[in-house]
Amino acid sequence: MTDHPQQLHASTRAQDGTVLAYQRHGSGRPLVLLAGQANNHHWWDGVREDFHATHTTVTMDYRGTGTSGKPDGPYSTRLFADDVIAVLDDLGVERADVYGTSMGGRVAQWVAARHPDRVGRLVLGCTSPGGPQAQERDASVRRALAHADPTASRQALLDLMYSPAWLADHPGPYTMLGDPGMPPHARRGHLVASNEHDAWDALPRIVAPTLVLHGDQDRLTPAANAPLLAARIPRARMHLFTGARHAYFQECRPRAGRLVRAFLAGQEDLPLPEAGHG
C-alpha cells in the first residue's frame, strides 16, 4: 500500500454486484477495522487515529449501511466477511491485521478462519462465538432494547455501551448507536446476521496470533464470551477491562489503544494471561 495518498474514500463491488464503500486513512501496514451491528465506518471515529502512526486503517460501510448498497438480503456474518475480502482485493492488499468489535468481531472470526493467508494479527473485541456455545444477553437487556419508545431504547443502548461516570463526562454526540440512514429491511438483516452467527467449529482453524478484549461489565455481549473465544482459538490471549461495558475501546481508549498497538507490533511480552486452548 505504497505510493497512495493518505486518505481515500472509494468503493468496489461484491461478488453479487452490491456496491461496497470503504475508507483508507494513514500510512503503514494495513489494519482492517470492523464495526458493530447496523453501524457504518463512523463507529471508529476518534479511535482509528490511534493507529495511524504505524498502520493504514481500512474501514468499510457494511452492505445496508452508509453509502454501500442496501439489497434486500439475505445478510450474514459470512457474507460480510466475503465483502471484507472484496475490499482488500480492490486495494491490492494481500495480508492485513484485523480488529473487529461486537458484530465486527464475529465477521473477523470468519475472515481469519476462512482466509488464514490474508490475516496477520487478529483482535476480537466485545464479541462472541455465537451459536449454542455462546453466553447470551439476558432477557431484560433484550426487552430494554426493544422498547417501543425510541428515546427509551436509545437510553438503554447508551447504558449498555458506557458506564454512568463516562456518560456524565461525555455528553455526545455518539457514533456507535447505529446508522440512522439504514432502511428497515437492512436493519433487520443485520440483526439476523448477528443473531445467527455461529463460528464455534471454525475457531480452532484460526492461525493468526489473536488477542481477545472485553469490558468485564459488558451486558450487551456478556463478558463470559471472552474466555470462551480465548480458549477455543489456538494460542489466543485475553484481557478484560475492569469496570468497562460494551464500548471499552472508546471508554478505555488510552489503555486499549496501547494494548492493541503493542500486540500488533508483535510484542509477545504483554502483561496478559495466556488464555490457553481447549
Side-chain angles (χ1 to χ4, degrees):
M1 297 185 68
T2 58
D3 302 321
H4 289 291
Q6 289 198 347
Q7 296 190 21
L8 174 69
H9 289 244
S11 65
T12 187
R13 288 187 179 272
Q15 290 185 350
D16 64 1
T18 300
V19 172
L20 302 173
Y22 64 86
Q23 308 77 31
R24 184 187 63 202
H25 295 265
S27 60
R29 193 165 76 250
L31 170 63
V32 178
L33 299 171
L34 297 173
Q37 174 190 316
N39 279 266
N40 57 38
H41 70 279
H42 290 297
W43 174 276
W44 292 102
D45 288 357
V47 176
R48 70 186 302 162
E49 294 81 0
D50 294 343
F51 304 106
H52 287 163
T54 56
H55 283 76
T56 295
T57 60
V58 177
T59 53
M60 63 183 292
D61 293 341
Y62 292 120
R63 58 177 64 212
T65 73
T67 57
S68 288
K70 300 171 178 62
D72 286 337
Y75 291 72
S76 71
T77 52
R78 288 175 182 253
L79 180 60
F80 292 145
D82 291 341
D83 291 346
V84 173
I85 296 300
V87 168
L88 292 180
D89 287 346
D90 194 62
L91 283 166
V93 173
E94 294 183 0
R95 191 175 179 86
D97 296 329
V98 179
Y99 182 5
T101 50
S102 199
M103 188 189 77
R106 296 176 174 90
V107 176
Q109 292 165 36
W110 286 124
V111 175
R114 298 173 74 186
H115 305 277
D117 57 323
R118 306 297 295 269
V119 179
R121 286 182 167 250
L122 177 67
V123 183
L124 302 176
C126 53
T127 192
S128 86
Q133 304 291 340
Q135 178 67 45
E136 292 299 320
R137 65 190 63 151
D138 62 48
S140 65
V141 171
R142 294 184 180 277
R143 286 195 299 269
L145 291 173
H147 200 287
D149 181 358
T151 301
S153 61
R154 181 179 185 275
Q155 186 58 51
L157 183 56
L158 279 172
D159 291 341
L160 291 165
M161 297 290 279
Y162 307 105
S163 70
W166 194 90
L167 284 173
D169 291 336
H170 300 80
Y174 308 104
T175 62
M176 302 180 186
L177 302 183
D179 182 344
M182 288 183 73
H185 74 266
R187 194 172 297 278
R188 289 192 298 270
H190 272 236
L191 179 61
V192 170
S194 193
N195 285 347
E196 292 187 351
H197 174 75
D198 183 358
W200 185 258
D201 290 341
L203 293 177
R205 300 201 300 268
I206 293 177
V207 298
T210 302
L211 176 62
V212 178
L213 302 175
H214 221 111
D216 71 347
Q217 300 302 308
D218 190 348
R219 296 176 62 222
L220 189 60
T221 301
N225 286 290
L228 291 176
L229 284 167
R232 187 70 172 164
I233 298 172
R235 298 173 299 282
R237 311 185 82 189
M238 182 185 75
H239 181 76
L240 301 180
F241 292 92
T242 303
R245 299 186 180 184
H246 197 61
Y248 75 86
F249 50 97
Q250 187 173 40
E251 181 162 350
C252 304
R253 177 181 171 184
R255 286 182 290 146
R258 284 194 301 269
L259 202 58
V260 174
R261 289 194 302 272
F263 175 74
L264 295 178
Q267 296 182 18
E268 302 298 346
D269 58 345
L270 295 174
L272 301 173
E274 291 289 349
H277 175 46

